[in-house]
Amino acid sequence: MGRSLEGRTVVLGVTGGVAAYKAADLTSKLVKEGAQVRVVMTGHACQFVSPATFESLSGGPVYTQLFHQAYEIGHISLAKSAHLLAVAPATANILAKMAAGIADDLLSTTYLAAAAPVLVAPAMNAAMWRHPATQRNLDILRQRGVEVAGPARGHLACGDEDVGRMEEPQAILERIKQLLCREKDLAGRRVLVTAGPTREMIDPVRFLSNRSTGRMGYAIAQAALDRGAQVTLVSGPVSIPAPQGARLVSITSTQQLYGQVTALAQDCDAVVQAAAPADFTPERYSQDKIKKTGEDMALRLTPTPDIARALGQQKRPGQVLVAFAAETGDLTANAHKKLLSKNADFVVANDVTQPGAGFAVDTNQVTLVSREGETRLPLMSKEQVAHAIWDRVLALWEGR
């Protein structure tokens, strides 16, 4: 993969957080990679780090005012020059502005005028990060295609050990390289990705399901699209938008998932089964809502079809099958059992009891388990995990 940033312009927005000092390190790393860095600082950012620091590191002027030059409309010229706009650190305030379309300073107006890819690296107190308003703003930005790096878990300025720490500059640099230098190494490949939960209906208003949000599967689909693949995404009920460019097939039950996947997989070069289908379904479905009687009720369950086993049995030569194993104990032992029983090429295993690796979070920590051994990946974003999975799939194709 070509990795040089030579000839690329990164407009780096720096906002008012303690992590602003990390943006100086990021600027230095970008310049060393050959990028031209044009730094935009908010007024509050200037209270943490001097603009002179960024001038020295970037080798150019630092932009702090909406009209930097009398003859130049600052946000327009910056937006036009950008191959990528990165905001690091991105405070809760700038995320809210970007989501709402507020343009009251140079950085927020540059964002509205930019046609280039946008990457934000959030940094804030854990309570601010978890606030529903912040999470809603991030959902809006992701729907618009904004990439999100972090935040990481660690020691915060307030003294807490929690999530909210800005992603390290080296990791942000790698994300920028992925966005600007990514080759279409999956071009010509047809892949099938499953995602999300299933729902097993009990009566017209109740169902059995699980905590899967579909984020991991959707990240895998997006990564494949970014790398040039033709993607079919079979998804259970989720509340996140499907990646643009993917063929979306919506299902509800495990039986529906089984029918779609076993039919669609026949024409695909790879199948990544990131969905979380229910293992059991009610033996009987009540056409009417079951009323409370004050007595105990027994709900008899029957097994659902084993989708991974069916895919392994029908796997054609050259096709790669990736299974997932969400565990709460004996991680690698259970993953090895699944690898062999499902005839998968490798299993992506994670312990959902670990911080940052469970449900409804933007990170994951997985172990890739194959017949050749185990590769434990560090805690990283789900987007990074997705690319690691496709790197492994690609290596299998090339090895064959």
Side-chain angles (χ1 to χ4, degrees):
M1 180 181 290
R3 303 292 283 175
S4 174
L5 294 177
E6 197 73 39
R8 303 301 183 101
T9 297
V10 176
V11 174
L12 177 61
V14 184
T15 63
V18 174
Y21 76 93
K22 288 186 178 181
D25 185 19
L26 177 59
T27 301
S28 178
K29 292 181 184 301
L30 286 166
V31 170
K32 288 178 181 178
E33 293 288 337
Q36 180 184 6
V37 183
R38 304 182 73 182
V39 180
V40 179
M41 298 182 71
T42 65
H44 288 158
C46 296
Q47 301 297 313
F48 288 92
V49 181
S50 167
T53 299
F54 288 99
E55 288 178 356
S56 298
L57 293 171
S58 68
V62 171
Y63 302 85
T64 59
Q65 303 297 323
L66 195 54
F67 294 95
H68 184 73
Q69 299 284 353
Y71 57 84
E72 180 181 61
I73 302 177
H75 61 287
I76 299 299
S77 62
L78 285 165
K80 286 183 176 179
S81 72
H83 291 100
L84 180 136
L85 170 63
V87 184
T91 60
N93 182 59
I94 191 63
L95 295 174
K97 286 184 180 182
M98 292 168 68
I102 295 172
D104 62 355
D105 62 8
L106 180 57
L107 180 55
S108 56
T109 50
T110 299
Y111 163 69
L112 285 184
V118 179
L119 171 69
V120 295
M124 65 197 73
N125 171 269
M128 296 174 69
W129 168 252
R130 295 190 177 101
H131 196 284
T134 301
Q135 292 303 310
R136 176 58 180 156
N137 290 334
L138 282 162
D139 287 343
I140 291 171
L141 293 176
R142 288 192 184 98
Q143 290 174 25
R144 296 176 186 158
V146 173
E147 299 278 340
V148 182
R153 180 177 296 270
H155 184 74
L156 305 179
C158 62
D160 293 342
E161 289 286 335
D162 209 335
V163 67
R165 183 181 177 88
M166 188 179 110
E167 190 66 88
E168 291 303 314
Q170 183 62 40
I172 298 173
L173 174 66
E174 291 303 318
R175 288 291 297 276
I176 290 173
K177 285 182 176 181
Q178 286 180 358
L179 289 168
L180 292 181
C181 308
R182 186 178 295 143
E183 292 181 356
K184 300 296 184 180
D185 51 7
L186 299 184
R189 297 288 188 175
R190 290 172 296 183
V191 303
L192 174 64
V193 180
T194 70
T198 60
R199 293 177 178 177
E200 307 303 316
M201 301 305 297
I202 299 171
D203 62 22
V205 297
R206 302 182 181 92
F207 55 81
L208 300 176
S209 190
N210 56 60
R211 295 175 59 197
S212 173
T213 63
R215 291 185 186 181
M216 189 68 251
Y218 276 51
I220 293 168
Q222 183 64 64
L225 286 167
D226 291 344
R227 296 169 73 153
Q230 298 178 42
V231 180
T232 298
L233 175 61
V234 182
S235 176
V238 298
S239 59
I240 53 178
Q244 292 186 4
R247 175 193 174 192
L248 178 64
V249 178
S250 297
I251 58 89
T252 300
S253 69
T254 301
Q255 185 64 51
Q256 291 171 348
L257 179 64
Y258 176 87
Q260 291 289 347
V261 168
T262 52
L264 293 168
Q266 299 176 24
D267 296 324
C268 292
D269 300 302
V271 180
V272 182
Q273 194 186 0
D279 293 326
F280 298 93
T281 189
E283 185 178 60
R284 294 181 179 179
Y285 170 74
S286 173
Q287 296 291 340
D288 297 315
K289 179 182 175 182
I290 300 172
K291 299 297 183 180
K292 184 176 181 180
T293 63
E295 299 178 356
D296 293 344
M297 186 189 81
L299 183 65
R300 187 174 178 83
L301 304 177
T302 59
T304 56
D306 191 328
I307 299 171
R309 185 184 296 275
L311 290 172
Q313 290 174 344
Q314 73 176 44
K315 187 172 66 170
R316 56 180 175 77
Q319 187 181 64
V320 173
L321 173 61
V322 183
F324 270 66
E327 303 290 345
T328 58
D330 296 327
L331 181 68
T332 55
N334 287 326
H336 274 288
K337 290 178 182 177
K338 191 164 194 174
L339 175 76
L340 299 177
S341 66
K342 314 302 183 186
N343 191 29
D345 290 277
F346 66 94
V347 173
V348 182
N350 68 323
D351 185 342
V352 295
T353 66
Q354 296 300 308
F359 300 103
V361 293
D362 296 320
T363 56
N364 208 346
Q365 186 168 26
V366 305
T367 299
L368 306 183
V369 178
S370 69
R371 290 166 180 80
E372 290 72 39
E374 304 166 6
T375 303
R376 187 174 187 272
L377 303 181
L379 183 68
M380 56 178 64
S381 71
K382 287 182 175 175
E383 290 80 5
Q384 290 171 308
V385 173
H387 282 287
I389 291 169
W390 289 119
D391 288 343
R392 178 63 65 91
V393 171
L394 191 64
L396 287 171
W397 281 329
E398 293 173 346
R400 293 170 179 174

